[in-house]
Amino acid sequence: MEFKHILVPVDFSDPSKQALEWACELARRYGADLTLLNVYPVPGYVLPDGFVTAGPEILGEVEAKTRESLQEWAAIAASQDVTQTTIATALGQSSSEIVRWAAEHKADLIVMGSHGRAGLALMLLGSTTDKVVRQAHCPVLVVPAAPHVATK
Ligand SMILES: Nc1ncnc2c1ncn2[C@@H]1O[C@H](COP(=O)(O)OP(=O)(O)OP(=O)(O)O)[C@@H](O)[C@H]1O
Ligand SMILES: [Mg+2]
């Protein structure tokens, strides 16, 4: 069993930062590279008669801001001696994009938080992680949220 390419889905929550810490440790041990992936929804407005999608300018701004934030998180991995960390973004529904990205890029492990930005401890797992665990082609390491996060 070898882990060479680890995918870390990041929603910029504390639990996903903890997942990144674990992923860095594993990457060092296995000599794996990391990809930090953020999925964001198509920006727009829901109106009574349909959905209006944001234009290319706003889409470009969201993409640039997301990449900037991912670079900051990638710097954490670089500071922990991970050989190679790349960033990626995807537009759409989080769990399906994570599963699709992992399969297309042949990730051999996904490391993600048990919860994310919503942090509802009532649920055993957040809905993104729940679906990824069920649908991913590869193993998924679920890092539990710290107690102070899980009891929110
Ligand atoms: N949009 C996203 N892009 C990338 N990774 C994500 C995204 N959303 C969640 N994740 C990953 O999934 C983990 C769990 O988040 P999840 O969305 O399942 O829980 P939640 O936000 O607490 O609850 P929910 O979204 O179901 O209301 C996060 O720690 C992160 O690793
Ligand atoms: Mg969420």
Side-chain angles (χ1 to χ4, degrees):
M1 193 188 303
E2 278 220 276
F3 299 127
K4 285 294 174 199
H5 186 181
I6 300 175
L7 175 63
V8 189
V10 159
D11 64 352
F12 305 111
S13 62
D14 283 352
S16 68
K17 192 165 264 178
Q18 286 164 39
L20 175 60
E21 296 287 338
W22 278 84
C24 288
E25 176 68 33
L26 287 167
R28 273 197 306 274
R29 287 193 191 196
Y30 287 94
D33 59 69
L34 294 184
T35 299
L36 310 188
L37 168 70
N38 178 253
V39 183
Y40 55 90
V42 179
Y45 303 95
V46 180
L47 297 173
D49 51 354
F51 184 80
V52 180
T53 310
E57 200 177 316
I58 293 188
L59 268 177
E61 274 175 34
V62 175
E63 173 71 13
K65 183 70 206 146
T66 304
R67 296 190 79 85
E68 199 181 299
S69 305
L70 281 170
Q71 285 295 5
E72 287 167 16
W73 282 47
I76 299 174
S79 73
Q80 297 192 20
D81 298 331
V82 174
T83 322
Q84 195 191 329
T85 305
T86 51
I87 61 167
T89 59
L91 200 59
Q93 201 274 327
S94 55
S95 57
S96 17
E97 288 306 312
I98 292 166
V99 167
R100 193 177 61 78
W101 200 99
E104 269 182 27
H105 295 83
K106 300 188 169 52
D108 36 36
L109 178 68
I110 300 173
V111 181
M112 62 197 300
S114 59
H115 297 82
R117 294 176 78 103
L120 292 177
L122 298 177
M123 306 293 285
L124 184 60
L125 289 177
S127 60
T128 310
T129 299
D130 182 70
K131 290 186 193 119
V132 172
V133 166
R134 289 170 203 269
Q135 295 166 5
H137 76 287
C138 64
V140 182
L141 176 65
V142 178
V143 176
H148 71 278
V149 176
T151 49
K152 262 186 200 164

